[in-house]
Amino acid sequence: MGNKIQFIDRLRLGLAVSAAKSVTFMVRSLRLGAASVLPGSIARRIEPRLLQLLSQQVQNGVILVAGTNGKTTTSLFLREILERKGFRVAHNSTGANLENGLMTALMESTNLVGTLDVDYAILEVDENILPKVLAPIQPKLILCLNLFRDQLDRYGEVDTISKRWGSAIATLPPETIIVANADDPTICHLGQQLSQQRVSFFGLNEPEQYLEAIPHAVDSIYCPKCGHALDYKGVYLSHMGEYTCPSCGFTRSKPTLNSREWPQILIGLYNKYNTLAAATAAIELGIDQATVRDTIPNFQPAFGRAEELKINGKQVRILLSKNPVGTNETIRVVTQSHNQTTLLVLNDRIQDGEDVSWIWDVDTEKLVQRGGTLVVSGDRAYDMALRLFYSDPKLDNNCNLIVEEDLRQAINTALEHTPDNETLHILPTYTAMLDVREVLTGKKIR
């Protein structure tokens, strides 16, 4: 780590970084966005090896956080742990997790000639590009969170992604640290097959948290080793739980940490997974458990991930809901509360995935049967409204469904229906979350 760069590479790197920083300054000065992607796109045209040249300057190594759900929250928590110990950390905190976004994030921490002086870099990585960036980055640690169906029009099924991950990780040095989710059969099997010397696992040990039944939005209930149906002792969410294969004997690996002994960041069972993932990774990096525990009560969420805002004197909580599993979990949070007003915002832009058929795999029945006021908006507002209607044909008897295409008006309507002593829950897809925050705060995140 922290290798020296040859003169000609240094020259081209300096030109690339200078150009990128100029673009960043112009974009932000003109308030055109956060400049989280464009600078990287321009810089890599000048120096195609930009990602490699920046990564090799990180003193203690690059940490990659990959998975379908939880990347941003887990990355932020791990960053706060490391910074509490005094480490300097580069991080793609805006959530721009494709190649250009990774480069832009690293350049944020360089000087004008491309010198990167940080101890660690934490990069959340889109699950589809993880295999592409492993060779240039040569990470110190890879944190594998989970694999769920997400944007099938772009990625395909989870088995395809898992195989690509395994093949790419297998080429990395044996000292690469792997932290994998024991409760996800696909990820667990991946970890068990790797030749790296240090493979650790995280997961839950809390049977009282089991769901009553396997949910409709389930992905991998078959053995990743032999294809036989897994025998589940219980599931926590989707296909994640405690399992064995009655055919070949494949079974869940033992987590490093006992989840019962750990509090969690934020609300929702999925954030217990995020807590344990970051905590396990930090401990593998040599951070003491006391520091990890001390970071938990002071953790503040990333934008849109259980973020709470005060709007017109009322409490608003934004729960990003971008795929079946994630939305089922945010619905669980809503239905376990006493709050009676929910705003659902469904978009179908490129960053969301243009196929919104996934909403039919969401257990919206629980939300509708609970009653209250449901306000629906977004580019595909009527698709979501139809899904809610089919959740209970007698919907009018149970809850008040309001469809409002204009997002600003939808937010105002939802706030009007929210009593002063309750919290308005907003469940948006990714681009919808950006739109919601812009309306609520007046600030763009791009």
Side-chain angles (χ1 to χ4, degrees), residues 120-163:
Y120 288 100
I122 300 176
L123 301 176
E124 68 162 91
V125 182
D126 179 274
E127 55 267 39
N128 202 39
I129 72 157
L130 178 66
K132 295 176 61 178
V133 302
L134 290 182
I137 290 179
Q138 292 292 297
K140 179 182 183 67
L141 184 149
I142 304 174
L143 182 46
C144 303
L145 297 178
N146 47 60
L147 280 175
F148 301 121
R149 282 175 293 163
D150 184 50
Q151 303 186 36
L152 289 178
D153 54 325
R154 292 174 59 198
Y155 297 158
E157 293 291 349
V158 298
D159 290 345
T160 302
I161 298 174
S162 172
K163 290 175 182 177

Side-chain angles (χ1 to χ4, degrees), residues 401-412:
L401 176 62
I402 302 172
V403 180
E404 177 53 67
E405 294 180 71
D406 182 81
L407 180 59
R408 188 176 295 274
Q409 183 56 48
I411 291 173
N412 289 336

Side-chain angles (χ1 to χ4, degrees), residues 320-322 345-347 352 358 427-434:
L320 179 64
S321 305
K322 63 187 181 72
V345 191
L346 177 66
N347 283 355
D352 305 296
W358 61 267
L427 278 55
T429 55
Y430 182 75
T431 65
M433 179 266 291
L434 301 180

